[in-house]
Amino acid sequence: MKYFGWIFLFFIALYIIPLNNRPMLLDELRCAESVREMVTSGEYAAVTVAGKADASLPPMFNWLSSAWVNVFGQNNFAMRLCSALAAGLTALLTALLIQQNLRDEKLAALAATLTLSCVGVVVCGTLAIPDMLFAMSVTGTLGTLFLALQEPEFNRRKFSLSLLAGLFSALAILTEGLSGLLFPLLVVIPYIFFSRKFKDCITVLPLFILFAAIPSGAWAMQLLIAPPEMLMEFLLTAGLFAGDYRWYSYAPVLIAGAFPILILLPAALMTGRESWKRLLNQPLCQFSLCTLVLLLIWFSAWRSFPPSIILMLYPPVAILTAMGLQAYFNNGGHHRSFDWMLNIWGLFLLITGCIELLWWFLKDNCFTEYFQLLPFTRLFLLNLGISSIIGGGVLLYSLHGNWRSRLYLFFFSIAILPLGISWCIKPQRFMPEATFRTFIREFDIIPEKCEFFTSGEFVPALSWCVNKEVQTADCLCPVIETADSGRTVYIILEKSDRRLKNIDAKRSLTRGEFTCIEVAVPEKQ
């Protein structure tokens, strides 16, 4: 357990500290507003956005996030904490799978750290969206099903693991829908036939499906008796019909999201042919490959799921990489691929850090116009440059150190980057939260005494910022007439919106991509 203390610190630095340091994206604000409405109204049975029922996703993410909002208040940290904890639990479940199957604590700790290091996991694990919670649930489902299949006879442990797999699947169903049951079955059924465990088709699978259906049955019945348009909305957003994503959309996202652990992949592949033969004979390696290949083929063939669905593929990638690295070091690492790749990574960080510091120094001269278009604050390049130089410098300084210390420093070079830049992002059109809060502060707005109007796509964002229901400004003509007498109306639109010219404003203010105008409503006689 001594390794998991360092992993916990790595998790805190990479996931918990940056949560509150940047404004939310539009997709996050939609989820955040639905949680705010759930907490405010006390109605936890249905999900609403801007006062309208939303059947696009089941309510589990809202339920868990509302619990954190009740504890920490209405803020970015509380809304993103569910995803961050889901990322940590994904790594923990990966470690427990290896520990229970191979009884190797070092390998379990390495796989958990590699899972946390993936860029795709870091990004989705620090956003207020349900994708990470779904990936964690599917990881738990697949892991417990695999352990259940390894039991030679039907006993209490096999029954308990089937029960636990069903509960994880129910959590996935209540997070993203029927995919939480479909994806595990797409992996487990071919694996059962491949490993010739045919008896488990009549023992493990029925128990798994039963225990998955019972907890999610109430929500499924509620959806079935809902109006037909809500059911159709759920089916369309659940990816059960073919979509517009290309078959080649997923593999590049998987590769990019697995960076920077791909730096260690050459060392894992250089372990030797005999070592890989032994690894491929291990059931866990076979199951990880089965998960990776089958789900990637399914996503590419169906083309309905957004690329973020490949989050559930990072744990098997981490397991395979960790097993290859372990075999590499056990063989003496005579190819020196590990040292070469770490040196290249350290040199890359050092050079890019120096370039970033040079750009930061020169941007007030020849780069001023260029950097004004970037979504970063003035300190972004300075912080990123210093972080890159520190991360690359310590790796190159440890050139003659042992592999274990260099591996720790590799993970340190990963963790230091988001710590330096996570709070250096400027508000833009896709991050309107900071701009809206600027309007509230500079106009000295008391939201309880005002009414707000904005475009439909920004209604959830503004509602979250003012902590009340906001109306749409799709038709601005009757806005003033329908407002309460004597109250101040604020209309926030994109600064390029032509409708702003037709409104007699008392005051106006433009920040970023938005303009806020103040209109005083006279007392009605």
Side-chain angles (χ1 to χ4, degrees), residues 240-256:
L240 298 183
F241 297 108
D244 297 330
Y245 294 98
R246 303 298 181 185
W247 63 269
Y248 51 80
S249 302
Y250 301 97
V253 175
L254 176 64
I255 294 173

Side-chain angles (χ1 to χ4, degrees), residues 141-142 144-145 159 161-170 173 180-185 188 203-215:
T141 303
L142 291 172
T144 48
L145 279 175
F159 176 84
L161 288 169
S162 301
L163 168 63
L164 192 58
L167 294 179
F168 273 119
S169 181
I173 293 172
L181 180 63
L182 177 63
F183 292 159
L185 290 177
V188 171
T203 55
V204 173
L205 289 186
L207 287 173
F208 161 65
I209 295 174
L210 176 64
F211 293 133
I214 292 176

Side-chain angles (χ1 to χ4, degrees), residues 104-124:
D104 192 329
E105 183 178 330
K106 293 181 180 179
L107 181 62
L110 178 58
T113 311
L114 291 175
T115 302
L116 291 175
S117 301
C118 294
V119 170
V121 179
V122 174
V123 172
C124 293

